[in-house]
Amino acid sequence: MQSTSLQRPISAWSLAGLALLLVAPALAQDAFTPHATLKPFAGKAELLAYFEPFTMEYRRREEMRRLQLEEQRRRQEAARRTWEEANPGKTWMPTPPAPPMPAAMSMAAPAAAAAESITNSQSAGVDEGGIVKLHGRHLVILRRGRLSTVNVDRHALAPVASIPAYGPNVPPGGAWYDEMLVSGNTVAVIGYSYARGGTELGLFNIDDKGGLSYRATYHLKSSDYYSSRNYASRLVGTRLVMYAPIPINVTHADPLARLPTLRQWQGSHSGGEFRPIAPPTRIYRTDEALKADDYGVTLHSVTTCDLAQPELRCESSGVLGKPGRVFYASEKAIYVWAMHGLANASALFRLPLDGSAPSALKTQGSPIDQFSFLEQPDGKLNVLVHAGGAGDAMWRGEKPGGNLSLLRVTVRDFGDGQASAPASAYSPLPSAGGDSLQNRYVGNKLLYGTGAGWYRPGQQVRSTLQVVDLKDATTHALPLPHGVDRIDALGQDAIAIGSDGSALHFSSVQLAGKQPKLVNAYVRPNASQGETRSHGFFYKPDAPAGGLVGLPIRGGGQGGYRQLWDEPAAMLYLRNDKLRLSEVGSLPARPGIGRNDGCQASCTDWYGNARPVFLGGRIFALMGYELVEGRELQQADNTRRLVELRRVSFAPGSADYQP
């Protein structure tokens, strides 16, 4: 965007323009200022008083159980004496007492035991935790519980370092090291430990030569954050942002025991001392009182840590709400949509990243996943919701939903949680049909459709891609000869990808003009997509109306769940030329590389294991433990063809490591 010079003669027109320029920042700021905010607790006493009715009920029931057990023991003792008097010399064999009845209100305990972007991120300025990142001239890769670096400088392609993605004194059993972010010379690995019961944050140093060294490990008390679609961490500038749901057992004698706390691992099984990072004054609530049928509420917590500081300092805020959740990160705030089971009533929380107080809005239904949200620069928020949703935790986003609507509100509509989004804010949308709903915003359009998702695609699939204009919610239906397993942007236009049961289809969609239309289709026989995660796709523009598409593929008719264990068959590359799609070529995977890697943790690829990488005009394919480079060559007939240049293995013990 070109800047406008203010060096011109002063006139009434220019004074008015200058005044408008001065007012504009204030207007923009006001657009992101809610009319009210949630009320924090004044301190520990007020927070305890909030839970007191349920704590008292818990204590009453515990006392009743104690008295019942005491009476049972008394009766058994009397029965023993009576029996022994009637049967001298014989051994008393008591009837085992019945197990005590559980408290009706108890909740199940948590499970124990400015570089070139290479990530297909949702929001500009917000990086997402992934399995491959860039640091200088090195790719940093997280795979099966290990961190590795590969030199990709100029024409090089050489493994440099490989170390465990956990500390030397951290027992890896029961832990999953899921995603990674790079800030400066710090690599942050985010995972979840079932053994230690919380989010695990590992910090590593990386130098300009690609060397890696362990720095520290921190544990944050939380429940499992895993989602089949979303990512738990974001990076905004140098600030690491982590979302974590924390169940609060309101009937427990100490309901505050689960408030966010952090400790540094000290090299023993007990770790270090947990210290609070969210005082009661950083815990917020709406006007809704807890109900007797609440089996516990969830503290939806957002923790931020500045990775630019030599010593890690983190702080957390949280909102009390229902347990089901979908969360979305914009450059300004974290949004958490909280709902209970399949209930329609829900709440939408907005937690600003500048540390100011959260705000909320009562809502209906549930989003499908993070891609159901779009915060626009003018302060408007759009959310695709469906009836009967349960959030996106642990494959819940894959479940079919009910009626669809587009919710359109502004940040100014958010407040202290008393107000509800009016019925007029919901625009009914056509049903998508099918099971696994995919949705994505491209420009000022919302696109959605259904496919197989993680499951095996059905034969002879026919589906419809719906395109919604955000200005007036008008909808256009585009029939497709395939399911919709992925929707993404091709610049200002879009692409829909899915299977018909045996072949993989790529359909380009023109969004400009009076109404959207299908332009072109490429069909890859006997193929299905090899990754369900959003990061598995990447589009690299290299011309005003053209660029390269990269996507892992595997054999036709195979379900998306195969990414958990299997490497893809190949990385497929298509050229987009004014929405005309043509194959450039593919880079095949070699099966069995690193099969005997001695994996100690994260031995299932929950986040997949393959990514297309476009870097400085070069083309790479990350497939399992291999990194392959290709080059696009111009042919005599003006077509283009992809050829393989080199490949290396960074598997532990690989011969490709140079001494």
Side-chain angles (χ1 to χ4, degrees):
M1 180 181 295
Q2 293 182 343
S3 60
T4 303
S5 173
L6 295 177
Q7 297 178 356
R8 49 184 156 208
I10 298 296
S11 64
W13 179 87
S14 61
L15 285 174
L18 180 59
L20 182 61
L21 287 173
L22 293 174
V23 171
L27 292 175
Q29 182 179 6
D30 188 62
F32 287 93
T33 304
H35 73 269
T37 57
L38 293 176
K39 179 183 178 182
F41 290 93
K44 182 177 181 179
E46 185 179 359
L47 186 53
L48 285 172
Y50 182 72
F51 294 130
E52 182 63 21
F54 301 92
T55 304
M56 290 178 63
E57 176 67 9
Y58 170 81
R59 291 171 180 167
R60 184 186 70 82
R61 296 188 182 202
E62 286 294 295
E63 179 63 14
M64 287 181 60
R65 286 204 300 166
R66 187 188 67 80
L67 293 175
Q68 289 172 353
L69 289 173
E70 186 176 307
E71 176 66 12
Q72 190 176 50
R73 284 192 294 269
R74 187 188 66 78
R75 291 183 179 183
Q76 282 188 345
E77 178 61 21
R80 182 188 65 80
R81 289 197 302 267
T82 301
W83 190 90
E84 287 180 347
E85 289 174 0
N87 300 275
K90 293 185 178 181
T91 304
W92 162 250
M93 296 293 292
T95 301
M101 292 295 291
M105 297 178 62
S106 66
M107 186 185 70
E116 182 177 1
S117 176
I118 60 172
T119 303
N120 183 19
S121 297
Q122 179 182 7
S123 301
V126 182
D127 196 11
E128 300 168 358
I131 64 169
V132 57
K133 298 292 177 182
L134 178 66
H135 178 267
R137 62 176 184 266
H138 298 90
L139 291 180
V140 188
I141 302 163
L142 176 65
R143 174 98 206 276
R144 290 170 63 83
R146 296 190 69 84
L147 276 175
S148 303
T149 55
V150 179
N151 186 350
V152 293
D153 186 32
R154 297 183 180 177
H155 301 294
L157 198 61
V160 176
S162 181
I163 64 173
Y166 45 89
N169 296 314
V170 179
W176 296 93
Y177 300 100
D178 299 316
E179 51 194 80
M180 165 194 61
L181 288 157
V182 175
S183 176
N185 292 327
T186 297
V187 179
V189 175
I190 299 91
Y192 188 80
S193 172
Y194 289 93
R196 290 174 283 277
T199 300
E200 188 168 305
L201 170 62
L203 299 183
F204 299 81
N205 302 311
I206 182 170
D207 59 34
D208 292 342
K209 296 181 179 179
L212 295 167
S213 61
Y214 170 73
R215 187 192 307 173
T217 295
Y218 298 85
H219 291 135
L220 173 68
K221 283 186 180 179
S222 75
S223 184
D224 191 358
Y225 56 74
Y226 179 78
S227 167
S228 58
R229 299 186 174 206
N230 210 341
Y231 307 96
S233 62
R234 303 292 192 273
L235 187 67
V236 183
T238 62
R239 285 186 301 169
L240 172 66
V241 181
M242 296 180 290
Y243 166 78
I246 303 177
I248 304 293
N249 190 344
V250 296
T251 65
H252 195 272
D254 183 11
L256 306 191
R258 293 280 289 167
L259 293 188
T261 56
L262 187 75
R263 70 175 176 183
Q264 183 173 354
W265 187 254
Q266 300 296 333
S268 66
H269 285 278
S270 61
E273 188 74 20
F274 277 105
R275 57 181 180 83
I277 57 173
T281 53
R282 297 289 297 174
I283 307 299
Y284 298 84
R285 57 178 172 175
T286 67
D287 64 326
E288 284 197 50
L290 294 176
K291 299 179 178 62
D293 60 352
D294 285 339
Y295 292 94
V297 296
T298 292
L299 178 66
H300 299 281
S301 68
V302 175
T303 301
T304 60
C305 311
D306 191 351
L307 297 181
Q309 299 301 317
E311 185 175 349
L312 189 72
R313 289 285 184 268
C314 300
E315 59 181 19
S316 185
S317 296
V319 292
L320 291 170
K322 297 175 181 179
R325 90 279 176 165
V326 179
F327 87 98
Y328 156 71
S330 73
E331 200 169 6
K332 294 180 178 294
I334 296 290
Y335 290 86
V336 178
W337 192 293
M339 77 294 296
H340 177 60
L342 298 178
N344 250 344
S346 52
L348 176 57
F349 298 97
R350 185 178 189 272
L351 293 87
L353 291 176
D354 62 6
S356 57
S359 53
L361 190 65
K362 292 179 181 177
T363 50
Q364 296 289 318
S366 167
I368 293 90
D369 55 25
Q370 73 272 26
F371 294 112
S372 302
F373 294 79
L374 175 65
E375 182 190 81
Q376 295 178 290
D378 59 0
K380 293 179 181 177
L381 180 70
N382 306 272
V383 190
L384 175 65
V385 297
H386 62 155
D392 67 356
M394 299 294 284
W395 292 287
R396 291 182 182 177
E398 317 303 319
K399 296 180 179 179
N403 298 329
L404 297 173
S405 294
L406 176 63
L407 172 64
R408 291 179 292 173
V409 294
T410 68
V411 175
R412 288 283 300 159
D413 294 324
F414 284 70
D416 58 7
Q418 298 187 50
S420 298
S424 59
Y426 297 88
S427 299
L429 297 176
S431 172
D435 292 332
S436 183
L437 186 62
Q438 305 294 323
N439 60 153
R440 196 75 183 244
Y441 294 90
V442 181
N444 65 345
K445 301 291 195 301
L446 163 67
L447 296 86
Y448 65 92
T450 58
W454 284 67
Y455 308 106
R456 186 185 301 275
Q459 297 291 326
Q460 302 299 320
V461 173
R462 295 292 183 270
S463 65
T464 300
L465 180 69
Q466 302 285 354
V467 182
V468 185
D469 194 317
L470 299 182
K471 293 181 294 185
D472 53 13
T474 55
T475 305
H476 297 276
L478 302 178
L480 295 173
H482 59 86
V484 179
D485 291 315
R486 184 182 296 274
I487 304 170
D488 224 300
L490 289 181
Q492 298 302 310
D493 297 298
I495 188 169
I497 304 172
S499 174
D500 64 2
S502 58
L504 186 62
H505 294 243
F506 298 75
S507 296
S508 60
V509 183
Q510 180 179 302
L511 297 179
K514 293 184 178 180
Q515 64 180 42
K517 63 178 180 180
L518 293 173
V519 175
N520 188 234
Y522 167 80
V523 181
R524 174 78 175 215
N526 190 31
S528 57
Q529 69 166 352
E531 289 280 351
T532 63
R533 290 278 177 178
S534 60
H535 293 174
F537 172 95
F538 203 96
Y539 175 64
K540 182 70 171 181
D542 55 16
L548 275 177
V549 167
L551 181 72
I553 60 172
R554 64 178 75 252
Q558 297 187 18
Y561 65 88
R562 298 287 292 270
Q563 74 182 45
L564 299 178
W565 302 282
D566 299 344
E567 297 170 11
M571 190 72 66
L572 175 66
Y573 297 90
L574 304 180
R575 174 148 290 280
N576 167 40
D577 183 9
K578 298 178 182 178
L579 296 182
R580 300 288 172 181
L581 302 174
S582 59
E583 181 178 342
V584 177
S586 60
L587 297 173
R590 290 187 301 179
I593 301 294
R595 180 170 295 167
N596 301 318
D597 60 357
C599 181
Q600 299 294 311
S602 295
C603 299
T604 299
D605 293 319
W606 293 107
Y607 280 36
N609 53 46
R611 300 289 185 267
V613 177
F614 300 97
L615 183 59
R618 297 166 70 188
I619 301 170
F620 297 95
L622 171 64
M623 296 177 289
Y625 275 121
E626 280 196 307
L627 187 65
V628 188
E629 182 176 4
R631 176 180 294 172
E632 190 181 15
L633 299 179
Q634 189 85 22
Q635 304 297 297
D637 59 359
N638 210 32
T639 60
R640 302 191 185 205
R641 180 172 62 92
L642 186 71
V643 297
E644 180 179 323
L645 294 181
R646 54 184 71 87
R647 67 173 63 211
V648 294
S649 165
F650 56 92
S654 169
D656 289 334
Y657 283 93
Q658 299 299 317

